Amino acid sequence: MSSVREATLDVLRQCGMHRIFANPGSTEVAFLADLPDDLEFVLALHEGSVVGMATGHAIATGRPAFVNLHTTAGLGNAVGALATARVNRAPLVVVVGQQDRRHLALEPFLAGRLDGLAGAYPVWVNQPVLPQDVPAAVRRAWHEAVQHRGPAIVVVPMDDWSALVDPALGLAAPMTVRRAGSAPGPAADELAGLLDDAANPVVVVGAGADDRATWHALVSLVERLGAPVWQEAFGARAGFPQDHPRFAGHLPAGRSRLRSVLTGHDVALVVGTGAFRQYPYEPGPLVPDGLTVAVVSDDPDELHHSRADLAVLADPAALCAAVADRITSRRAAGEVVAAARPEPVDPPAPGEPMRARHVFAALAERLPRDVVLVEETPSTRPELHRLLPAREPRGFVSAAMGGLGFGLPAAAGLRMGDPTRPVVAVLGDGSSLYGIQGLWSAARYGCGALFVVLSNGRYAVMDRLADRAGGKAPWPAFDDVSVHGLAQALGCPARRVSDHADLLAVLDEVVPTLPDRIEPLLLDVPVRIERGFEP
């Protein structure tokens, strides 16, 4: 274990910031006392001079200079100079002291109301939620200052410096950020070299890769590289054709299982998402030892909160195509299927209730390749992924934030926005009730989507989480709510499916009409949900 201070000083060294420009106060003593000999303290007698000197240093070197300011008074005194630094396009990393976090709620003496104090002049401002996030925030401030050519501010409560961090966890910020721009040559060369040198690379894709150009580039890259492809956990859209032989499945959302999947790989190329999205929190390292992670995205925020050695800000399609052209083909070893295809699902026995897998299997046999599948069924999402792979770009859409109520109205909007593609929404009954009024609009404006509602009259995920926590859920079932009745009251045609045979008959009748359908339809399908659940 090392302290937050020691880890932050290491970040300063790694970023080449060996001078600390400051006019110190009491909230900075824990950071500055006993400064190591390889770091130079530069004193100025007023904060305007502190920032002015740092600005000149940054202009002369072309690299960010490091500034340490004293809570409200120090930052307030420096605002004019920070404005000058911003207009002069001088990159600065500014750490501002704050009172002890343990009694900030009481507004002790020298507690600063620092948010917004410098106005719009900083290019980025952050107060880390936890002490162990401080080193990563300082590294991100360095990248933000470089990218936006101005001062980036990190507010650090004084007691954070003595807190401990586990170096095995790594920093939630990339070591190196490249900006490929319109000419991805140098970045593509670097990534191609990294992949060519890898003994066992792996590719991870996310929602930011969900377009035809990126799919085409990734397929070319993966087929030359001979690597398995995993979809990010809780991805809102599919970043790769999920019926491709190299598609391995969806990454697990827990650290231990993620490490298990990635163990044995030495390089992970992550495209169109951060590295790595997780839920719920688990202690321990995020990735196995020895894994080099490179992230490619056109979203700078996605890059900056990644646990990565290399991050490249670029158009994923253009960069992946350039990398594919540069890497050495490994196809001589022959094609290997990365993951077994799903086993056939037997229909329910006579008198046995339907399960979600029976519904998904029936849809899988009937839905056209270009269907847009909208998902909001948290308790059965893993089975849906397994049985209903996305086969075309924009073939899978879900809520990126995880809040309920997105799927039903989004399906109507997707059909309205592109009436050339059939749209099917698969929803839990609990999820559907958050956006049920969207059916009125779907009917009113002729959005011919099919809404398949899996009805079990309860919040199954919440029940399972309560079971796992060993507690009794206080919320009741709502199996007295009629989803198809609500749909009909809102002017949307709806049918209650009685059993598996009825489901197959309805789908055989309705699915062929989806491409040209104007009138929406809701199917209320009773299912029994299994108790086990792994996100």
Side-chain angles (χ1 to χ4, degrees):
M1 291 282 189
S2 61
S3 69
V4 167
R5 177 180 184 265
E6 291 165 339
T8 303
L9 294 179
D10 282 341
V11 170
L12 266 62
R13 296 181 180 103
Q14 293 160 6
C15 294
M17 298 185 294
H18 295 281
R19 289 190 170 110
I20 297 175
F21 296 90
N23 181 265
S26 58
T27 54
E28 291 70 57
V29 170
F31 174 61
L32 295 172
D34 295 323
L35 200 64
D37 293 340
D38 63 326
L39 299 173
E40 179 184 359
F41 183 89
V42 179
L43 175 67
L45 303 184
H46 183 272
E47 288 82 3
S49 296
V50 169
V51 174
M53 291 178 67
T55 299
H57 191 278
I59 292 171
T61 62
R63 301 190 309 273
F66 186 85
V67 174
N68 191 213
L69 298 176
H70 175 52
T71 191
T72 308
L75 180 58
N77 286 343
V79 169
L82 290 170
T84 299
R86 175 68 181 271
V87 178
N88 277 8
R89 299 175 59 79
L92 303 178
V93 174
V94 183
V95 168
V96 180
Q98 174 63 292
Q99 247 288 1
D100 193 304
R101 149 184 331 257
R102 292 169 293 187
H103 65 165
L104 271 179
L106 299 173
E107 292 206 2
F109 181 66
L110 289 180
R113 298 185 181 183
L114 303 173
D115 186 28
L117 182 57
Y121 295 113
V123 298
W124 186 70
V125 178
N126 179 255
Q127 178 172 322
V129 175
L130 297 172
Q132 55 261 41
D133 297 331
V134 169
V138 172
R139 181 180 285 168
R140 175 166 181 176
W142 189 91
H143 290 308
E144 295 283 358
V146 168
Q147 181 177 353
H148 299 293
R149 308 300 297 177
I153 292 177
V154 181
V155 177
V156 183
M158 58 193 295
D159 58 311
D160 283 11
W161 298 116
S162 60
L164 297 179
V165 293
D166 184 352
L169 297 178
L171 299 189
M175 290 283 291
T176 303
V177 176
R178 303 274 186 250
R179 291 161 186 83
S182 58
D189 289 340
E190 187 171 2
L191 282 174
L194 185 66
L195 293 170
D196 274 339
D197 291 341
N200 189 18
V202 62
V203 176
V204 175
V205 297
D210 183 25
D211 62 80
R212 194 164 299 281
T214 309
W215 276 35
H216 180 77
L218 280 168
V219 167
S220 176
L221 189 157
V222 165
E223 289 181 349
R224 290 178 62 81
L225 191 61
V229 181
W230 291 84
Q231 172 77 29
E232 65 174 327
F234 294 101
R237 295 167 66 177
F240 191 80
Q242 294 175 357
D243 58 347
H244 189 280
R246 287 283 167 188
F247 184 69
H250 291 72
L251 283 181
R255 289 185 178 218
S256 58
R257 291 189 295 140
L258 175 67
R259 291 195 302 272
S260 178
V261 166
L262 298 178
T263 292
H265 295 289
D266 53 349
V267 172
L269 175 63
V270 181
V271 180
T273 183
F276 293 93
R277 201 175 195 198
Q278 295 284 279
Y279 170 85
Y281 173 74
E282 286 183 10
L286 184 61
V287 299
D289 289 341
L291 180 69
T292 298
V293 179
V295 181
V296 176
S297 176
D298 58 5
D299 180 348
D301 191 62
E302 207 161 60
L303 299 179
H304 286 306
H305 65 234
S306 291
R307 161 67 170 82
D309 302 279
L310 172 64
V312 183
L313 182 65
D315 173 67
L319 187 61
C320 288
V323 173
D325 287 342
R326 286 164 168 78
I327 60 174
T328 303
S329 177
R330 306 186 187 198
R331 282 188 292 188
E335 293 295 332
V336 178
V337 175
R341 298 303 100 189
E343 295 291 332
V345 175
D346 294 328
E352 180 188 355
M354 270 191 294
R355 313 281 184 172
R357 62 177 176 270
H358 298 130
V359 181
F360 300 155
L363 289 169
E365 292 175 2
R366 292 162 174 80
L367 293 182
R369 182 177 183 85
D370 65 341
V371 69
V372 179
L373 187 72
V374 184
E375 177 273 331
E376 196 167 271
T377 173
S379 59
T380 56
R381 186 175 186 175
E383 281 192 309
L384 182 142
H385 282 318
R386 183 173 63 88
L387 294 169
L388 287 166
R391 295 170 288 174
E392 292 288 331
R394 198 163 32 86
F396 175 82
V397 178
S398 185
M401 282 298 292
L404 301 179
F406 165 82
L408 192 152
L414 284 159
R415 179 66 175 174
M416 180 183 286
D418 183 2
T420 69
R421 292 182 67 175
V423 176
V424 175
V426 180
L427 314 164
D429 53 352
S431 300
S432 73
L433 294 175
Y434 282 88
I436 197 75
Q437 62 271 52
L439 292 173
W440 181 89
S441 299
R444 174 66 176 79
Y445 296 103
C447 304
L450 175 64
F451 303 93
V452 180
V453 178
L454 308 179
S455 294
N456 70 332
R458 60 187 65 252
Y459 296 123
V461 166
M462 297 304 298
D463 291 347
R464 291 168 179 171
L465 292 174
D467 287 347
R468 183 181 293 179
K472 181 180 178 182
W475 48 86
F478 48 88
D479 46 9
D480 52 339
V481 175
S482 170
V483 174
H484 65 285
L486 289 171
Q488 290 169 340
L490 290 164
C492 177
R495 294 170 65 169
R496 174 75 170 180
V497 173
S498 59
D499 55 25
H500 188 251
D502 188 26
L503 172 69
L504 299 185
V506 172
L507 292 179
D508 285 338
E509 172 193 338
V510 173
V511 169
T513 72
L514 291 178
D516 303 312
R517 192 176 185 90
I518 295 174
E519 186 178 61
L521 175 65
L522 182 141
L523 300 182
D524 188 353
V525 186
V527 296
R528 179 173 293 177
I529 306 297
E530 286 85 352
R531 301 298 287 178
F533 173 64
E534 286 291 347

